[in-house]
Amino acid sequence: MGLAWHFWNSRWRGAPGSEQRSGLRGWERAALLVPLALHGWLLYAGIFATSELRFGFAQALSVMLWLAVAVYWIESLFYPLDGMEPLVLPLAAIAAPLPAFFPGLVSSGAHAGAAAFKVHLALAMIAYSLFVIALLHATLMAVAERRLHGKAGPAFGHLPPLLTLERLLFRMIGAAFLFLTLTLASGFVFSETLFGRALRLDHKTIFAILSWLTFGWLLAGRWLYGWRGRTAVRWTLGGFVLLVLAYVGSRFVLEVILQRS
């Protein structure tokens, strides 16, 4: 949270005419690595270094936001991403301790330790984290667009240009869509191996497919019709909501409300 406050003061609160430094300073980049490494170690100790697999909504959120910060850190080496930090860092700080309060239920059955299941889980978490970054890009796009119309005030003067945010948004959605496609494909293979059929039409599968179709249509609209701006933001938000309902939302209901694995 301390780093988030620093970036809020240095990236968002500065007036457009004040001194601006593009990208992360050396000490800022190093400072981000410390909580990132600690968060990663806690995830490893809580998920992979135990004899039983506990992976519920809290672990999913924690892994998603840890990967999102890692992706941001790497992405910031190549692109100016000022303004992203006050969004992603507080979310990661909130998600990091969640597994301690919601340890999740033990995954039973032989599939919990299967290599195919772990690959499927890893692909899903990568896809989720990339879509988190895409959603944050879309949020910054919405703020930048409002600022162009004089509705956001001077507090957001150091955001990247709108066209830069838009280009990065679709690059991130394209990468996330690829991993979501691999997630669905591995899920079909895993389901056929375990249950003898390639597709289980439960709520998770339905919401995941709807999200895949939504993002696929958004990418097609961008390529065929040049979709951008508010249209891109709305489709990104809609697809992300469907994706959250596919796993995190359903696991929250099962674990917290229904107390089932």
Side-chain angles (χ1 to χ4, degrees):
M1 282 296 187
L3 283 171
W5 179 253
H6 161 73
F7 284 115
W8 163 261
N9 281 314
S10 62
R11 299 308 197 273
W12 277 23
R13 292 185 63 184
S18 62
E19 182 182 358
Q20 178 181 3
R21 295 187 61 170
S22 179
L24 294 174
R25 299 175 177 91
W27 74 266
E28 291 173 334
R29 188 172 296 282
L32 283 174
L33 283 179
V34 176
L36 187 64
L38 177 60
H39 191 178
W41 179 81
L42 291 174
L43 288 173
Y44 173 80
I47 298 175
F48 299 105
T50 58
S51 57
E52 298 175 322
L53 178 64
R54 288 182 177 270
F55 198 89
F57 86 95
Q59 288 80 7
L61 284 174
S62 190
V63 171
M64 283 165 49
L65 270 302
W66 177 76
L67 284 171
V69 174
V71 169
Y72 156 76
W73 193 92
I74 296 172
E75 189 184 17
S76 66
L77 292 170
F78 306 98
Y79 305 103
L81 297 175
D82 291 325
M84 180 72 70
E85 307 91 349
L87 293 177
V88 69
L89 294 181
L91 294 175
I94 293 171
L98 282 181
F101 297 100
F102 302 97
L105 301 175
V106 178
S107 297
S108 59
H111 70 278
F117 177 73
K118 293 179 179 179
V119 170
H120 171 70
L121 194 62
L123 290 171
M125 289 301 99
I126 293 173
Y128 265 94
S129 66
L130 292 175
F131 278 124
V132 168
I133 293 294
L135 180 67
L136 297 182
H137 276 304
T139 302
L140 291 180
M141 277 181 58
V143 172
E145 187 172 4
R146 287 179 61 85
R147 186 173 173 276
L148 284 177
H149 295 88
K151 298 180 181 180
F156 303 97
H158 290 173
L159 293 181
L162 182 58
L163 291 178
T164 299
L165 289 171
E166 185 177 88
R167 183 171 63 253
L168 293 175
L169 169 68
F170 280 99
R171 286 180 180 176
M172 195 58 61
I173 290 177
F177 182 76
L178 172 62
F179 276 98
L180 181 58
T181 302
L182 294 174
T183 300
L184 291 174
S186 65
F188 295 157
V189 173
F190 174 70
S191 178
E192 186 171 15
T193 302
L194 185 64
F195 303 106
R197 57 183 185 277
L199 184 64
R200 299 180 66 197
L201 284 179
D202 54 14
H203 58 282
K204 290 186 291 185
T205 303
I206 292 172
F207 279 122
I209 292 176
L210 288 175
S211 177
W212 183 81
L213 291 173
T214 300
F215 284 113
W217 184 248
L218 172 58
L219 292 173
R222 170 71 169 182
W223 184 55
L224 295 173
Y225 309 113
W227 286 359
R228 58 190 307 178
R230 295 181 181 179
T231 301
V233 171
R234 289 167 182 166
W235 279 87
T236 301
L237 177 60
F240 186 79
V241 169
L242 291 170
L243 192 62
V244 169
L245 291 175
Y247 186 81
V248 177
S250 63
R251 293 301 301 183
F252 176 83
V253 172
L254 287 173
E255 296 173 25
V256 178
I257 299 178
L258 300 180
Q259 294 290 308
R260 291 164 51 190
S261 62

